[in-house]
């Protein structure tokens, strides 16, 4: 039987945080951490063994669990069931999944999981879905598997990412274009070591609070407004202070995405000062207005700027996880050394600095490939 091997990358989001589920702008990059599913088609059963957790998920071809599912198995079952509902032929799969994405670190391990599994199951049944349909299916799988009302950003970048580029995506219209990453900058991620589990965090609460804010906009999209216009609408409607802060973050964050793209694409080369300002403002807004940062993330951002990063902010859903930094090429090892040493001294926690390379979105890899071979980790002291 044919062997299949697919890889789906993790992501960092340069800016545009908590904007996707209100139809806003995001600017993620697919990076060389990810999940690899290898295996063969099988007659009746979907059987997937996790190398990370050393356990196995068994499902019927329609996604019906055979036995109790481990946590990650709920995502696999969700993907299999939704693919079955979309008309995938009932072809089984026998394989393994390997991961180099730190779980719960804000780098979208869940979309790497749903997209890699989804693509492998599609391949095994010779079934094809257009990119945005596969992304929506992966998003829905996360909704049904763990009840996290996440947006579209993570599966889309896991599918449509391109080496050397960020993806500017309007989550309202699904319009998107690639934004070249300046070769003079590298992306370095620092994992705070504080784990988040979006299903247990305030993610759904934040989304509900923002909905109250969006309701005062009379159908206008947050990405089409200025902050003063949104604040005026909030005042006129007597919106409460919490929802006003959530709304202010989202409106301002959309504008920061446009500023970040302009700074990256400046004709005379990237505008480093503006990138630093945009990232700093985004982080402060996520800390103060959206309230999804943690003291560890705040500290890492400060240490990154002190250590010489051009730009630094928390990335992903928050409540723990990682920061993303932009660092001048050649300085990355020194910045990693400074930040990891200072962080452990200040918190007694270790941070890992990942010097990331941007990669293409999900696709076939050599059978037998391991995601681990692609990772470039600079461990802390
Ligand atoms: C998580 C979600 C995304 C997005 C980010 C915050 O990663 O899965 O949809 O909302 O948080 O920007």
């Amino acid at each position: 039987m044919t062997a299949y091997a697919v890889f789906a990358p993790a992501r960092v989001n340069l800016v545009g945080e908590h904007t996707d589920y209100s139809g806003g702008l995001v600017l993620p990059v697919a990076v060389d951490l990810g999940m690899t599913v290898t295996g063969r088609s099988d007659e009746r059963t979907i059987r997937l063994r996790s190398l990370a957790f050393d356990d196995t998920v068994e499902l019927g071809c329609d996604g019906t669990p055979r036995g109790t599912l481990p946590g990650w198995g709920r995502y696999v079952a969700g993907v299999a069931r939704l693919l079955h509902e979309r008309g995938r032929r009932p072809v089984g799969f026998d394989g393994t999944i390997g991961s180099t994405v730190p779980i719960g670190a804000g780098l979208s391990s869940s979309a790497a999981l749903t997209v890699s599994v989804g693509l492998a199951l599609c391949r095994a049944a010779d079934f094809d879905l257009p990119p945005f349909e596969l992304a929506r299916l992966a998003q829905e799988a996360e909704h049904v598997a763990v009840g996290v009302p996440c947006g579209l950003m993570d599966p889309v970048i896991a599918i449509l990412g391109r080496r050397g580029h960020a993806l500017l995506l309007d989550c309202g219209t699904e319009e998107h274009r690639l934004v070249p990453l300046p070769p003079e900058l590298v992306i370095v991620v620092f994992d705070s070591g504080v784990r988040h589990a979006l299903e247990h965090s305030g993610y759904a609460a934040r989304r509900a609070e923002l909905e109250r804010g969006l309701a005062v906009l009379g159908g206008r999209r947050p990405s089409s407004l200025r902050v003063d216009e949104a604040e005026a609408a909030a005042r006129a409607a007597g919106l409460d202070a919490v929802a006003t802060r959530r709304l202010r973050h989202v409106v301002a964050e959309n504008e920061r995405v446009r500023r970040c793209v302009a700074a990256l694409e400046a004709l005379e080369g990237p505008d480093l000062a503006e990138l630093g300002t945009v990232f700093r403002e985004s982080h402060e807004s996520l800390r103060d207005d959206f309230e999804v940062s943690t003291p560890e993330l705040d500290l890492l951002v400060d240490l990154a700027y002190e250590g010489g990063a051009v730009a630094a902010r928390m990335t992903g859903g928050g409540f723990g996880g990682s920061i993303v930094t932009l660092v001048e090429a050649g300085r990355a090892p020194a910045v990693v050394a400074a930040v990891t040493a200072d962080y452990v001294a200040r918190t007694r926690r270790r941070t890992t600095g990942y010097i990331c390379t941007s990669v293409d979105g999900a696709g076939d890899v050599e059978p037998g490939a391991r995601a681990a071979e692609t990772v470039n980790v600079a461990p802390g002291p």
Side-chain angles (χ1 to χ4, degrees):
M1 266 177 288
T2 325
Y4 302 93
V6 299
F7 172 77
R11 62 99 188 92
V12 291
N13 187 18
L14 295 185
V15 71
E17 218 65 85
H18 285 277
T19 50
D20 59 349
Y21 48 82
S22 56
L25 304 174
V26 294
L27 191 63
V29 179
V31 295
D32 57 340
L33 300 166
M35 298 209 187
T36 305
V37 175
T38 57
R40 294 165 189 282
S41 50
D42 181 273
E43 277 178 18
R44 279 186 288 275
T45 305
I46 295 172
R47 189 181 303 104
L48 201 58
R49 190 167 75 83
S50 160
L51 298 174
F53 296 117
D54 196 23
D55 54 15
T56 300
V57 166
E58 269 199 30
L59 312 164
C61 292
D62 62 354
T64 307
R66 304 217 175 116
T68 320
L69 291 176
W72 64 276
R74 290 181 289 164
Y75 295 84
V76 180
V79 169
R81 183 163 68 73
L82 292 170
L83 279 172
H84 177 75
E85 287 171 11
R86 302 284 193 286
R88 177 186 170 276
R89 283 188 300 121
V91 176
F93 187 82
D94 190 3
T96 58
I97 181 160
S99 172
T100 54
V101 194
I103 308 293
L107 303 177
S108 185
S109 50
S110 51
L113 172 59
T114 51
V115 169
S116 60
V117 169
L119 205 57
L121 293 181
C122 283
R123 290 282 192 269
D126 203 10
F127 185 69
D128 206 18
L129 285 176
F132 273 87
E133 272 187 48
L134 179 60
R136 277 190 290 269
L137 183 141
Q139 178 193 19
E140 198 183 333
E142 184 155 356
H143 291 187
V144 297
V146 288
V148 178
C150 57
L152 203 52
M153 167 172 70
D154 298 345
V156 169
I157 187 65
I159 296 165
L160 290 182
R162 280 292 162 267
R163 185 179 181 83
H165 295 83
L167 183 77
L168 173 61
L169 169 67
D170 182 324
C171 298
T173 62
E174 296 182 1
E175 277 174 87
H176 55 280
R177 75 169 174 90
L178 295 170
V179 175
L181 292 167
E184 49 271 73
L185 293 175
V186 294
I187 295 169
V188 184
V189 168
F190 293 95
D191 177 0
S192 71
V194 178
R195 285 292 166 258
H196 75 171
L198 287 181
E199 58 189 308
H200 300 130
S201 74
Y203 188 93
R206 291 295 176 280
R207 187 166 175 167
E209 290 155 1
L210 176 64
E211 296 293 340
R212 292 207 306 274
L214 297 174
V216 309
L217 299 183
R220 287 173 297 172
R221 299 176 58 203
S223 59
S224 67
L225 291 178
R226 293 192 317 264
V227 170
D228 60 324
E229 293 171 322
E231 284 178 335
R235 262 195 312 277
L239 187 66
D240 62 278
V242 168
T244 301
R245 287 205 302 277
R246 307 297 187 245
L247 180 63
R248 185 166 58 211
H249 164 74
V250 165
V251 171
E253 186 78 353
N254 276 292
E255 184 52 28
R256 282 189 283 270
V257 176
R258 293 193 188 94
R259 284 168 58 196
C260 185
V261 170
L264 288 171
E265 293 187 328
L267 283 179
E268 58 284 8
D271 184 340
L272 303 188
E274 172 73 348
L275 288 170
T277 306
V278 166
F279 273 47
R280 170 79 77 188
E281 287 177 9
S282 171
H283 185 80
E284 288 173 355
S285 177
L286 287 157
R287 183 190 65 200
D288 301 336
D289 277 351
F290 220 71
E291 296 179 273
V292 291
S293 188
T294 62
E296 292 82 2
L297 292 170
D298 298 342
L299 175 65
L300 272 177
V301 167
D302 287 342
L303 295 179
Y305 280 109
E306 283 166 27
V310 167
R313 54 177 288 280
M314 58 155 278
T315 192
F319 304 100
S322 301
I323 69 161
V324 56
T325 70
L326 297 176
V327 177
E328 283 170 274
R331 298 198 63 190
V335 172
V336 169
V339 172
T340 50
D342 290 350
Y343 188 69
V344 77
R346 298 275 292 270
T347 64
R348 306 245 161 262
R349 283 177 185 278
R350 287 162 63 101
T351 179
T352 304
Y354 297 91
I355 300 171
C356 298
T357 305
S358 59
V359 298
D360 287 344
D364 299 310
V365 290
E366 286 291 303
R370 288 270 184 281
E373 287 164 8
T374 66
V375 69
N376 177 9
V377 178

